[in-house]
Amino acid sequence: MTRRRRRFACPCVAGVDEVGRGPLAGPVVAAAVILPPKGLPRGLTDSKALTESERERLDAKVRARALAWALGEASVAEIDAMNILQASLLAMRRAVAALTLTPFAAWVDGNHAPGLAMPVRAVVGGDGAVPAISAASIVAKVARDRQMVALDAAYPGYGFARHKGYGTAGHRRALERLGVTEIHRRSFAPVARLAEARQTVFDYTLR
């Protein structure tokens, strides 16, 4: 661990990150993690730089060793109502509010931070540089991926277990073939265009 990373490993600071801003379907999920000053899991980094098995292993270690951790999310309806940025900030606020310990400060990945009843610092690239934010990135990613696997069983044919709701070619083909579901973000352009096109065809057939 570098000196910079050790300086950030303060037990009174919560690392906060969200996962799922880009997908066409599913909620946005955030995590808040307060790590101990010693005994950090080895290999903490941005969840996107890890394999699925590495994330699963580190997720279990973070949950076991953290002084506190919590999840928060914003639903598809909330995303469509307030936009993805505001929904992401809402999910972060919910994650911090759910912590069983109250941190004196929160360090958030990115250049936007939620309003909290404590000092907040936005750290660009924090998910790869600040251990507590890295831990939050991993916990949020694993939790959201598990949700999407469960939704795959509820909405067969879309491939949610594979692409986790992101706009892959396979997902877009499934959307065109099967249509838009209640867990798709209708405020996102690809989904909105398809929903409008299908409604236009439906209206025409009723004439």
Side-chain angles (χ1 to χ4, degrees):
M1 179 181 294
T2 66
R3 182 175 301 173
R4 180 168 178 256
R5 289 175 67 85
R6 183 161 47 246
R7 177 168 62 86
F8 285 143
C10 172
C12 297
V13 174
V16 185
D17 199 7
E18 53 73 28
V19 173
R21 286 183 65 170
L24 304 180
V28 59
V29 176
V33 177
I34 303 176
L35 290 175
K38 297 180 180 179
L40 302 185
R42 292 182 179 274
L44 289 176
T45 189
D46 178 7
S47 63
K48 297 185 292 294
L50 300 168
T51 65
E52 183 177 357
S53 61
E54 289 171 335
R55 288 194 297 267
E56 291 280 352
R57 175 180 59 83
L58 284 166
D59 173 72
K61 289 187 175 182
V62 167
R63 292 179 186 231
R65 299 183 189 180
L67 298 179
W69 65 268
L71 293 165
E73 69 176 60
S75 68
V76 170
E78 290 172 323
I79 292 169
D80 286 342
M82 65 178 63
N83 77 47
I84 186 59
L85 173 59
Q86 294 306 315
S88 297
L89 297 177
L90 174 61
M92 291 180 184
R93 289 196 296 272
R94 287 171 172 168
V96 173
L99 287 168
T100 56
L101 294 178
T102 302
F104 76 75
W107 293 56
V108 179
D109 181 57
N111 55 7
H112 293 94
L116 298 171
M118 64 193 68
V120 183
R121 181 174 179 179
V123 184
V124 176
D127 50 6
V130 182
I133 299 179
S134 300
S137 170
I138 292 165
V139 171
K141 172 66 173 169
V142 170
R144 187 181 188 280
D145 283 358
R146 288 173 179 170
Q147 282 197 46
M148 297 310 296
V149 170
L151 288 170
D152 183 74
Y155 299 90
Y158 289 89
F160 292 129
R162 295 191 304 276
H163 52 65
K164 308 303 187 293
Y166 284 87
T168 64
H171 187 186
R172 290 172 185 257
R173 287 194 297 270
L175 268 170
E176 292 175 358
R177 185 176 72 255
L178 301 173
V180 176
T181 73
E182 62 185 5
I183 65 165
H184 280 97
R185 302 173 181 179
R186 293 172 182 264
S187 58
F188 279 40
V191 179
R193 284 195 297 267
L194 181 59
E196 182 179 0
R198 283 182 169 253
Q199 184 62 44
T200 300
V201 171
F202 178 73
D203 291 343
Y204 180 80
T205 59
L206 291 180
R207 294 177 183 176

